[in-house]
Amino acid sequence: MEVLLIHVCKTRALLALILLMWVPMEVMAGTENATHSSTRPSSLNIGALFTLNSVIGRAAKPAIYAAIDDVNSDPSILPGTKLEVILHDTNCSGFLGTVEALQLIENDVVAAIGPQSSGIAHVISHVVNELHVPLLSFAATDPSLAALQYPYFVRTTQSDHFQMYAVADVVEYFGWREVIAIFVDDDCGRNGISILGDALAKKRSKISYKAAFSPGASKNAITELLVGVNLMESRVFVVHVNPDSGLTIFSVAKSLGMMTAGYVWIATDWLPSHLDSLESPGLDTMNLVQGVVALRHHTPDTDLKKSFMSRWKKLKHEGSSGFNSYALYAYDSIWLAARALEVFFNEGGKISFSDDPKLKDTNRSTLHLTSLRIFDGGQQYLETILKMNFTGVSGQIQFDQDKYLVHPAYEILNIGGTGSRRIGYWSNSTGLSVIAPEILYKRPVSANTTAQLYSVIWPGETTAVPRGWVFPNNGTPLRIAVPYRVSYQEFVAKDKSPPGVRGYCIDVFEAAVNLLPYAVPRNYVLYGNGKRNPEYGNLVFDVAQNNFDAAVGDVTITTNRTRIVDFTQPYMESGLVVVVPVKEQKTSPWAFLKPFTYQMWLVTGAFFLFVGAVVWILEHRMNQEFRGPPRKQLMTIFWFSFSTMFFSHRENTVSTLGRLVLIIWLFVVLIINSSYTASLTSILTVQQLTSRIEGIDSLIASNDPIGVQDGSFAWKYLVDELNIAESRLVKLKTMENYIEALQYGPKRGGVAAIVDELPYIELFMSNTKCKFRTVGQEFTKSGWGFAFQRDSPLAVDLSTAILQLSENGDLQKIHNKWLAHNECSIQMNEVDSDRLSLTSFWGLFLICGVACFLSLTVFFCRILCQYRRFIPAAVEGDVEEIGSGSTRSRPSIRSASFKNLMDFVDTKEEKIKHMLKRKGSDSKHDEASPSSDGPLHSPS
């Protein structure tokens, strides 16, 4: 706000100075009425203010005159009223331009076209605000002119606000993170580059250096400027200057060797405007800008534009230049003013001017300030202008609520050969695309394609996208901080031979750097005093504060650290784990019972007996080995059942159903035996915890001391994230401290457990021959990376190199070189976790049970069928004893009891079949020789 007030004060002071020095060219004679009005005057004055002898002015002048002629010859626009244009030349001078503007407004103009200079536009905007004269500028692109303090300033071209966002999108598309801005230090240049900085910040890029030079700077000054920026890191240059002197920059750049491979030059619309205005650019001119990417205003190829272009040669006045896009905007500005006047008159507007009471002539002044009069209908006319909507030669003329032209768009050009090649478009709604914006506007938003451009031929005639940066040419190598560790020196340590450090982390970094397509000069600086591990948080902070360019070592990537530095791709996985002491478990006399839970033992034993009984039932009627006295049969069931556990059963099965049940049961026994053996082996060799700590949760719940590596982020994590009191934490400096603290335990001044990162713990357990183990799971997931300052391009390139190391196996080879160790079971196995429960085997028992049930069902169905066939034989007098084979008198089979059925079941199946067969033979004999003596037998 303070800067804005100063700017306004300076502007008003300049106006006062001009008014004091201004002597009117024409003195009005006589006295006139203070107010002169007319509804539809026969003529109206429109002012035009710009530098005639300039790239923009030479194109705008014939376009303005052509527009005036076209308006006056169109009977539908302002019939009976002739537009007159009053043209004033600003002569590329802010002071003279302001004087010319005041003289122009003195002629009671209803609108002013111009100026092209943003500096003059700032000053004149205050004048037109006071006099209510709309200022239609077709060339002033300064974004700050859109401020609310300039209500009468109407921009009829595209604002640099959009152009700078287009440049930022191009920078992001090619993956560059830093640019150097070269610009003229005036209102347009400063404000445009300021918007560019904002746009790049949204893309996580930035302007690394702003190289400004004064308007009209000499070639020597530009040479000195470019020599300075050539010593910097960035090789992406954005040039935002005026079209009349911009080529001087490329001339100097070419002489300094800055138009060769590796450099990137992005020019704003000034360069295409300059090249388009030349009839035929010479080879010398084109050789200066080979490979440059430039932006040009995009105007749709409508029939109206094509018609205007075909007339251009006839429109040119003597000394005018070739065509550029500003001619289209100048032409449409006249038509905008004329169409708005037509609407203004149709809505009852009147042209009248009145004296400004604030401007009074005094006896001490010879200035006729009263000649500057207020346009009474200016407010209504301005509102009409902002509501207009028509198609001009430059496209759709319509303003949004911020007074910007709708659908701002640019063409992305690649200068090469004797001309330029369009490689894509940019618009504020569709971004970068190879499809014209007017086509994309008709598509749904979801159908718009992702950002894309055609290939570019860069300086040096290369098609490979330049990296966009190099190491500065001032001879300063990278300052790389390396932790000066006192423990776990396999990762990083001091070394007497070059480069002064060694270890796993150093080898990974060196291997990644060797994969880069460019040299990286570097010096390693040890960080710490060598008596204790350094604080890694301070190390990362020093990188962020530019005390070092990078940090290489076992630096953990954490959320807080990523906020201040950029990390590479992790080259080693890490995470916090809990380490506790262990001891060999003493052998128990009852260890053989531990593989199964008691439920598993009960169900397994029950199934042994159940399957034995089922097999006995299925085999009893036909297998002599399963027959005999009751005591013998009971022993057979028990023996057969449990002998299947070792596959040593000696009884043979002869029935189909018995064999089916036995095969399924033997499969179940095989699985149970294998699982039992594996579980028992694990239990007999398992180690047992010497503390009750089972993981991070039980560690937090206890009040025991916890060991933490000195300098590790684990201390801050345990305190801030897990709310563990600092009084419980013990810093451990060396591996020997680790061993002593764990062996002593909390009762003898040691610790209950150690919390540290997994890579350290793996090395620790290997070196201690697995005397310590981790419990629980990793409770954080992170990794180690190399830290660089924010937005460092080297971080991105090294990330790619680390991925290459991982893919080709070199990363694993480096790991094996430094960290090869004896394998330890990282996770502690507890006895209870090895015990097998019924949950793991209920499926097998279910299958076996179903097979037994189905077999018994089939068996008893067969028994019932045979029994039903046997009943008629008993009725006919068959008195043979089923159970014993003796012949004696029996009651009728119809009164047979359950005992008879059981006796029938107990009878050998072979005998039953024989009796049924004999009964069938007797029936056939009786049918052949019927007896008259009656029944042979009667029940006794």
Side-chain angles (χ1 to χ4, degrees):
M1 180 63 70
E2 184 178 352
V3 175
L4 180 62
L5 291 174
I6 294 174
H7 176 72
V8 172
C9 293
K10 287 183 178 180
T11 303
R12 290 180 176 175
L14 178 61
L15 284 174
L17 177 63
I18 293 172
L19 290 173
L20 290 174
M21 297 177 62
W22 173 45
V23 178
M25 300 292 296
E26 179 179 346
V27 179
M28 299 179 60
T31 57
E32 297 183 88
N33 294 332
T35 302
H36 173 72
S37 64
S38 174
T39 303
R40 280 251 185 179
S42 59
S43 65
L44 286 174
N45 292 332
I46 291 182
L49 184 70
F50 52 87
T51 301
L52 299 182
N53 188 24
S54 65
V55 170
I56 295 176
R58 288 191 293 268
K61 180 179 178 180
I64 289 175
Y65 280 120
I68 292 292
D69 293 341
D70 291 345
V71 169
N72 289 334
S73 60
D74 190 339
S76 64
I77 301 296
L78 299 176
T81 300
K82 183 179 181 181
L83 281 185
E84 300 285 351
V85 61
I86 302 176
L87 189 61
H88 281 242
D89 189 359
T90 60
N91 293 304
C92 289
S93 170
F95 176 76
L96 294 179
T98 304
V99 173
E100 292 290 337
L102 294 173
Q103 293 178 349
L104 176 67
I105 297 175
E106 179 189 22
N107 295 294
D108 289 344
V109 295
V110 295
I113 308 299
Q116 74 187 62
S117 168
S118 297
I120 298 176
H122 277 284
V123 178
I124 300 305
S125 291
H126 293 286
V127 178
V128 297
N129 287 351
E130 181 70 23
L131 303 180
H132 297 179
V133 178
L135 184 63
L136 310 182
S137 177
F138 61 90
T141 57
D142 180 3
S144 65
L145 288 169
L148 296 177
Q149 73 175 126
Y150 305 123
Y152 281 85
F153 177 85
V154 180
R155 197 191 325 265
T156 57
T157 186
Q158 302 297 346
S159 169
D160 277 345
H161 173 89
F162 300 106
Q163 181 169 214
M164 294 306 165
Y165 272 85
V167 172
D169 279 353
V170 171
V171 171
E172 180 191 35
Y173 178 82
F174 290 107
W176 301 313
R177 304 295 294 274
E178 294 184 2
V179 304
I180 293 177
I182 301 174
F183 61 99
V184 177
D185 194 10
D186 58 10
D187 290 335
C188 183
R190 285 191 303 272
N191 295 327
I193 295 303
S194 176
I195 295 296
L196 176 61
D198 295 340
L200 289 173
K202 294 180 180 180
K203 310 292 184 181
R204 286 205 64 186
S205 301
K206 67 178 181 179
I207 299 175
S208 60
Y209 183 72
K210 295 181 179 180
F213 59 91
S214 61
S218 64
K219 189 173 182 178
N220 290 336
I222 294 176
T223 300
E224 184 178 351
L225 181 72
L226 293 185
V227 168
V229 300
N230 196 36
L231 296 176
M232 298 179 182
E233 183 178 277
S234 178
R235 282 293 181 264
V236 181
F237 303 104
V238 177
V239 184
H240 184 54
V241 296
N242 63 70
D244 294 286
S245 59
L247 284 181
T248 305
I249 294 175
F250 289 106
S251 176
V252 173
K254 187 172 181 62
S255 66
L256 295 176
M258 298 174 66
M259 298 300 296
T260 56
Y263 288 86
V264 177
W265 294 88
I266 301 176
T268 52
D269 65 298
W270 68 268
L271 180 58
S273 297
H274 179 85
L275 297 179
D276 291 343
S277 64
L278 301 176
E279 289 289 346
S280 57
L283 291 177
D284 292 340
T285 299
M286 296 305 299
N287 286 337
L288 297 178
V289 292
Q290 294 294 306
V292 175
V293 174
L295 279 71
R296 179 171 63 192
H297 296 113
H298 173 66
T299 53
D301 290 328
T302 60
D303 294 336
L304 195 61
K305 176 183 175 181
K306 293 177 182 178
S307 175
F308 180 78
M309 295 288 292
S310 64
R311 296 170 53 200
W312 180 252
K313 290 185 179 180
K314 299 178 181 179
L315 296 177
K316 289 193 303 178
H317 289 238
E318 182 178 356
S320 64
S321 65
F323 171 84
N324 61 47
S325 59
Y326 289 102
L328 301 176
Y329 292 118
Y331 183 87
D332 283 342
S333 298
I334 296 295
W335 271 98
L336 173 63
R339 289 178 182 272
L341 281 172
E342 178 64 25
V343 175
F344 174 78
F345 287 136
N346 291 338
E347 293 178 350
K350 297 182 180 180
I351 302 297
S352 62
F353 295 87
S354 59
D355 294 336
D356 188 346
K358 300 177 185 178
L359 298 177
K360 296 181 180 180
D361 293 335
T362 62
N363 295 331
R364 291 177 296 176
S365 174
T366 59
L367 301 177
H368 295 275
L369 301 180
T370 55
S371 61
L372 299 175
R373 302 195 299 172
I374 297 175
F375 178 20
D376 297 327
Q379 180 64 35
Q380 180 184 352
Y381 184 40
L382 173 65
E383 294 174 357
T384 303
I385 289 174
L386 296 178
K387 293 178 182 178
M388 295 303 297
N389 184 5
F390 67 96
T391 301
V393 293
S394 63
Q396 186 178 1
I397 305 299
Q398 182 183 3
F399 298 95
D400 60 18
Q401 60 182 2
D402 297 321
K403 298 195 302 180
Y404 291 125
L405 282 177
V406 297
H407 302 318
Y410 290 87
E411 297 176 1
I412 314 298
L413 307 178
N414 182 205
I415 312 298
T418 58
S420 62
R421 179 174 60 94
R422 185 171 58 225
I423 60 174
Y425 303 88
W426 179 93
S427 74
N428 68 322
S429 59
T430 60
L432 296 174
S433 174
V434 295
I435 304 174
E438 55 269 20
I439 298 176
L440 293 177
Y441 293 150
K442 300 176 183 178
R443 299 180 180 178
V445 176
S446 59
N448 291 340
T449 57
T450 56
Q452 55 180 326
L453 295 173
Y454 292 119
S455 61
V456 178
I457 300 177
W458 304 99
E461 298 183 358
T462 176
T463 56
V465 177
R467 192 169 64 251
W469 66 278
V470 295
F471 285 97
N473 291 332
N474 53 18
T476 303
L478 288 180
R479 297 163 298 160
I480 299 177
V482 176
Y484 195 175
R485 296 191 59 88
V486 297
S487 63
Y488 298 110
Q489 295 188 351
E490 291 87 346
F491 294 105
V492 61
K494 180 181 179 180
D495 192 19
K496 296 181 179 179
S497 60
V501 288
R502 59 178 175 81
Y504 168 75
C505 302
I506 301 301
D507 280 6
V508 172
F509 181 75
E510 289 289 334
V513 169
N514 291 336
L515 290 178
L516 299 180
Y518 49 86
V520 180
R522 55 198 178 277
N523 286 333
Y524 293 107
V525 180
L526 289 172
Y527 188 85
N529 56 17
K531 298 180 180 178
R532 55 178 295 184
N533 294 335
E535 289 291 337
Y536 281 66
N538 296 337
L539 170 60
V540 173
F541 182 76
D542 282 343
V543 173
Q545 293 299 310
N546 198 29
N547 295 327
F548 299 100
D549 295 307
V552 172
D554 48 340
V555 182
T556 305
I557 303 172
T558 65
T559 302
N560 291 334
R561 293 173 182 177
T562 56
R563 295 191 178 105
I564 59 176
V565 297
D566 283 347
F567 281 95
T568 62
Q569 172 82 12
Y571 61 88
M572 173 171 277
E573 294 183 357
S574 181
L576 292 178
V577 293
V578 179
V579 184
V580 295
V582 294
K583 67 178 180 180
E584 295 293 334
Q585 178 178 301
K586 296 181 180 179
T587 303
S588 169
W590 305 102
F592 68 92
L593 294 176
K594 291 183 178 180
F596 289 164
T597 61
Y598 75 92
Q599 297 95 334
M600 181 65 181
W601 278 118
L602 292 176
V603 172
T604 302
F607 256 84
F608 271 109
L609 296 176
F610 173 67
V611 172
V614 170
V615 173
W616 178 85
I617 292 173
L618 298 175
E619 294 290 323
H620 177 70
R621 298 187 68 211
M622 60 180 62
N623 193 339
Q624 186 63 36
E625 294 182 358
F626 288 87
R627 299 182 65 83
R631 181 180 178 185
K632 176 184 177 183
Q633 295 184 51
L634 186 62
M635 293 300 296
T636 299
I637 292 175
F638 276 91
W639 168 256
F640 180 82
S641 298
F642 292 101
S643 63
T644 56
M645 180 185 298
F646 310 103
F647 305 98
S648 61
H649 52 283
R650 61 190 178 186
E651 294 81 8
N652 295 320
T653 53
V654 296
S655 68
T656 303
L657 295 176
R659 289 175 176 177
L660 174 64
V661 171
L662 185 60
I663 288 174
I664 295 176
W665 175 242
L666 291 178
F667 175 74
V668 174
V669 170
L670 175 65
I671 299 300
I672 292 176
N673 279 345
S674 301
S675 303
Y676 176 87
T677 303
S679 180
L680 181 61
T681 302
S682 177
I683 289 174
L684 293 177
T685 58
V686 77
Q687 290 177 316
Q688 188 179 31
L689 299 176
T690 59
S691 71
R692 63 183 181 277
I693 304 300
E694 299 177 352
I696 187 61
D697 294 330
S698 59
L699 184 61
I700 295 173
S702 70
N703 292 319
D704 295 331
I706 303 170
V708 180
Q709 183 182 170
D710 188 19
S712 171
F713 83 100
W715 180 290
K716 187 174 180 64
Y717 180 85
L718 294 176
V719 173
D720 296 344
E721 301 296 332
L722 303 184
N723 299 318
I724 295 177
E726 289 192 35
S727 59
R728 293 180 56 191
L729 302 183
V730 178
K731 288 187 177 180
L732 305 174
K733 297 182 180 181
T734 64
M735 190 179 300
E736 290 72 19
N737 296 148
Y738 276 44
I739 298 173
E740 292 175 359
L742 288 174
Q743 289 179 340
Y744 288 160
K747 295 182 179 179
R748 294 194 297 163
V751 297
I754 292 176
V755 174
D756 206 347
E757 295 183 72
L758 185 58
Y760 301 124
I761 296 306
E762 288 179 336
L763 191 60
F764 170 68
M765 291 193 302
S766 175
N767 292 340
T768 56
K769 298 181 180 180
C770 306
K771 293 182 179 179
F772 306 93
R773 297 292 178 89
T774 63
V775 291
Q777 302 293 328
E778 290 182 59
F779 55 94
T780 66
K781 288 290 185 181
S782 58
W784 290 354
F786 305 126
F788 290 85
Q789 295 178 11
R790 294 284 288 177
D791 301 321
S792 171
L794 192 58
V796 178
D797 290 352
L798 277 178
S799 294
T800 304
I802 290 171
L803 289 176
Q804 287 181 258
L805 290 175
S806 178
E807 291 172 357
N808 60 25
D810 290 344
L811 193 61
Q812 185 61 41
K813 293 178 181 177
I814 298 173
H815 182 278
N816 295 339
K817 171 186 174 182
W818 288 98
L819 307 177
H821 49 69
N822 299 324
E823 292 294 334
C824 289
S825 177
I826 299 302
Q827 187 67 34
M828 253 300 304
N829 292 321
E830 298 182 32
V831 173
D832 288 342
S833 65
D834 286 326
R835 302 189 71 181
L836 301 174
S837 65
L838 186 61
T839 305
S840 304
F841 297 94
W842 71 267
L844 287 173
F845 289 129
L846 178 63
I847 294 173
C848 185
V850 170
C852 292
F853 174 77
L854 293 177
S855 299
L856 289 175
T857 302
V858 173
F859 174 77
F860 284 115
C861 287
R862 289 178 58 193
I863 291 293
L864 290 176
C865 290
Q866 290 179 351
Y867 188 63
R868 290 182 61 185
R869 291 173 59 192
F870 179 75
I871 288 175
V875 174
E876 293 173 3
D878 190 351
V879 296
E880 183 179 4
E881 181 63 34
I882 299 172
S884 63
S886 63
T887 303
R888 64 181 177 86
S889 176
R890 304 184 60 219
S892 173
I893 197 64
R894 297 184 181 275
S895 61
S897 64
F898 179 72
K899 182 178 182 302
N900 301 125
L901 178 59
M902 291 297 99
D903 289 340
F904 178 81
V905 173
D906 187 56
T907 304
K908 294 188 65 175
E909 186 170 0
E910 181 181 354
K911 189 172 184 179
I912 295 296
K913 289 182 179 180
H914 176 70
M915 293 171 60
L916 292 176
K917 182 177 180 182
R918 188 178 67 180
K919 180 255 182 185
S921 300
D922 292 343
S923 298
K924 293 180 181 179
H925 177 72
D926 291 341
E927 291 175 3
S929 304
S931 174
S932 60
D933 294 333
L936 295 175
H937 305 282
S938 62
S940 58

